[in-house]
Amino acid sequence: MDAKTFPVTRTDAEWRAMLTPEQYQVMRHHGTERPGSCALLYEKRAGTFACAGCDQPLFESKLKFESGTGWPSFNDPVEGSVETTVDRGYGMVRTEVHCANCGSHLGHVFPDGPPPTGLRYCINGVALNFEPAA
């Protein structure tokens, strides 16, 4: 993924200046926030969750669900907003989810979600901004 050019690109210094240290670690170095640590886990209002790195809309709140994992979970992204790659880190094989617009790491997707997709997009809350519906 690192070799791909995304529509939104920034230097490392620009990423560091615009993101908090935790966001930078998660979004630019494939980190993970502590489970249950982000207020967006509990966000229940109607609205849109967007990438904290480029403001691209990623998930609609109507597709958010409580997975019990400690991270915001969704069963379908906004069409074309995310891309996936194989993540072989930590001795396991998972499917990484990143922003299709800026390449920032968001989390992982697993095949254990609710209908209709059966998918669980397990997303780091620090990688998201929430915009309430008008």
Side-chain angles (χ1 to χ4, degrees), residues 47-121:
T48 303
F49 293 85
C51 177
C54 69
D55 293 323
Q56 172 168 268
L58 300 170
F59 300 95
E60 296 296 328
S61 62
K62 65 185 173 194
L63 297 175
K64 184 175 184 275
F65 64 94
E66 178 52 55
S67 66
T69 61
W71 292 279
S73 297
F74 306 85
N75 61 354
D76 211 9
V78 171
E79 188 173 338
S81 67
V82 302
E83 295 178 351
T84 60
T85 55
V86 175
D87 176 358
R88 297 187 192 296
Y90 302 103
M92 58 185 126
V93 178
R94 301 178 290 174
T95 303
E96 178 194 352
V97 177
H98 59 272
C99 176
N101 198 40
C102 71
S104 290
H105 171 77
L106 303 172
H108 294 87
V109 61
F110 302 95
D112 61 1
T117 66
L119 298 175
R120 173 175 54 94
Y121 286 82

Side-chain angles (χ1 to χ4, degrees), residues 18-28 52 126-129:
M18 72 171 287
L19 300 172
T20 68
E22 185 179 25
Q23 286 175 316
Y24 179 80
Q25 178 60 30
V26 168
M27 298 173 72
R28 305 313 303 168
V126 296
L128 302 172
N129 289 326

